[in-house]
Amino acid sequence: MAEEKKAKQKYYGPADKRTIDPASEAVIANRCDDGFIDLFARSDAMYPRCKFGSEGVCCRVCAMGPCRVQPDKPGKDRGVCGANVDTIVARNFIRMVAAGAAAHSDHGRAVCETLLAVAKGHSKDYEIKDEQKAIKVALDMGIEVGDRPIVDIVKDIAELALAQYGQQQGEVLYTKKAPLKLQEKWRELGVIPRGIDREIVEILHRTHMGVDHDYEHLLLQGARAALGDGWGGSMIATELQDILFGTPEPITCDCNLGVLEEDKVNIIVHGHEPLLSEMIVAAASSEDMLKEAEKVGAKGISLSGICCTANEILMRHGVPPAGNFLQQEHAIMTGAVDAMIVDVQCIMPSLPEVARCYNTKVISTSPLAKFPGAEHIQFDEDDALNIAKKIVKKAIENFPNRPDKVFIPDEKEQFIGGFSHETINYLLGGTFRASYRPLNDNIINGKIRGVAGVVGCNNPKDTHDWGHTEMIKELLKNDVLVLVTGCTAIAVAKQGLCRPEAAAKYCGPGLAEVCETVGIPPVLHMGSCVDNSRILIAATAMVKEGGLGDDICDLPAAGAAPEWMSEKAISIGQYFVSSGVYTMFCTTFPFTGSKNVMEELTVGMEKKYGGMWDFEMDPVIAAQKMIQHIDKKRKALGIDKARERVLFDMEKRREMA
Ligand code: CUV
Ligand code: SF4
């Protein structure tokens, strides 16, 4: 093991383990040695990692560089153009925001276009599944409802949502959903996004050689583009997907590689946009496809997912996730996958090569994304079901080509997913008087200490899933209710934390009591990465319910991404911070090379937005810092005493027992 990794190993997890997931561990042990190098080995091969890159002080914005700047070495403390570390780190930071916001927002755009086509009667295979949600969204957007036909309302929604992308002036519509006090802060700072695309483009302009060099000014633009993601592109994606595919409700499901079935055609969808995966769900359960499967000797078709597309179809159909980000190769390495269907984001280009050893077909589908070695069948919303069937048929035809060595691990774990903002509201308050009151009351009386949103990816520098699990267990033990999305959600669902029984096993007494009374797990799976917007809405609902201050930054709440890797995570982190959330990142933080930028991301941003970034390698210490922040907020609200009383009462009860 490289020296650098050795030095950091205690923060990355148990040194002898690649993963804490027994399913992945078994697959790795059993893997084909046919000349490909698995992702953990590839990660190790990258040590020592470039120190300049790791700290964010390498600039390759223009061809006078690359400039690797060393602030303490006179003569080397600036790039050729004179840019110092502050400028370079801030530029690198907001370029990550731009890429992340672009990815989420493009996802939202595709949803708008499909919804518009449905309203115009073009995309015959989709329908408006949730009319109630459509009406709610219309009201939010200020679109007239009256007794207009639903398709007309939906057409207006789709058009207005699409217009948010190209809007040049004014304010992105959904920012008006935020607490008033927060909107005021944003307005004063000039960070309300004018249009979703415009802010992303402006980042690229401002970070071009020789434009904006003031790190604080650059970071403000980063915040503006990130808000255009969280309260723009991502929120549009979530809200319009609910109209198109239904608002999620709690649903019980299995997850992990054990969901693959040896005697069935196994199809995995991997990527992000549910437009395709929804149709694959329909195609895979259609009569004609099942007949085709029978013809090749299969006992049916088994569909599962990887990454956020898994979360999308889990939330709405109970299709099981086969794994999270770091399991994409492992799924293929079982030899049991007949086709992996991919669209965009978080898909490793290694897949076709791994797939060759196991006769798996990798099929790319997005007009944006091709993978050397994969077959490309382009998806088209206007002929969605036919194309989905064509793709499913490819998987069926591949079933007889299974390799000799098929190895499906036994592990699968049951969990509950599907906690949209709407269902949390109903679960807590009841169908007739949906409300966050009981949640707020339980926070005020101290049974629940606070709420944490833990989200994000896996990173092979870490022992797979270890950071998520350690952090969340620490939070639960301290009575913090946890909301999860993305690969975190799949990680801890596999660990058994997303089932009601976890309350008694892992939670402090207060949180356990509340979860048991309501019948919910202590970790609520809220969906995919774009569904982090559901967390913003839930936080706003808590503020509006009353008793916990009048802004998101007053809430005893925190956010985290313990095993992050993608640029989307930086965009998410920034819109959380700019919305007032204390946001903790672990594993790595490639901005530490500038003291001033680090100061601005923490102290500076807390002054501006009430939320701040923090970075801590150790996930347990990170959790403790989140708890400290929650306690600080409880104290400011004057509800810290209530909690002491609760603890005292528990102690008394124990004494009596
Ligand atoms: Ni969009 S962004 S690895 S799939 S959470 Fe998973 Fe989530 Fe990160 Fe990617
Ligand atoms: Fe170097 Fe400046 Fe060009 Fe960056 S923009 S590569 S610091 S000369």
Side-chain angles (χ1 to χ4, degrees), residues 61 87-88 90-92 94-95 98 189-192 194 198-225:
V61 153
T87 306
I88 291 171
R91 278 200 297 223
N92 287 339
I94 71 171
R95 280 193 164 214
L189 290 161
V191 295
I192 298 200
R194 294 159 291 186
R198 176 162 194 176
E199 308 312 344
I200 296 168
V201 170
E202 190 167 308
I203 286 183
L204 293 177
H205 180 188
R206 284 212 214 173
T207 58
H208 181 275
M209 190 272 152
V211 185
D212 193 3
H213 299 100
D214 178 326
Y215 68 90
E216 199 182 340
H217 195 230
L218 284 161
L219 292 173
L220 281 169
Q221 182 58 21
R224 182 143 70 162

Side-chain angles (χ1 to χ4, degrees), residues 104 270-272 306-309 311 324-325 345-346 455-458 485-488 528-530 565-566 568-569:
H104 282 148
H270 172 21
H272 278 79
I306 299 255
C307 277
C308 279
T309 234
N311 289 324
N324 52 5
F325 177 67
Q345 299 170 29
C346 305
V455 310
C457 328
N458 294 129
T485 63
C487 290
T488 309
S528 67
C529 290
V530 293
M565 64 86 199
S566 106
K568 289 179 285 174

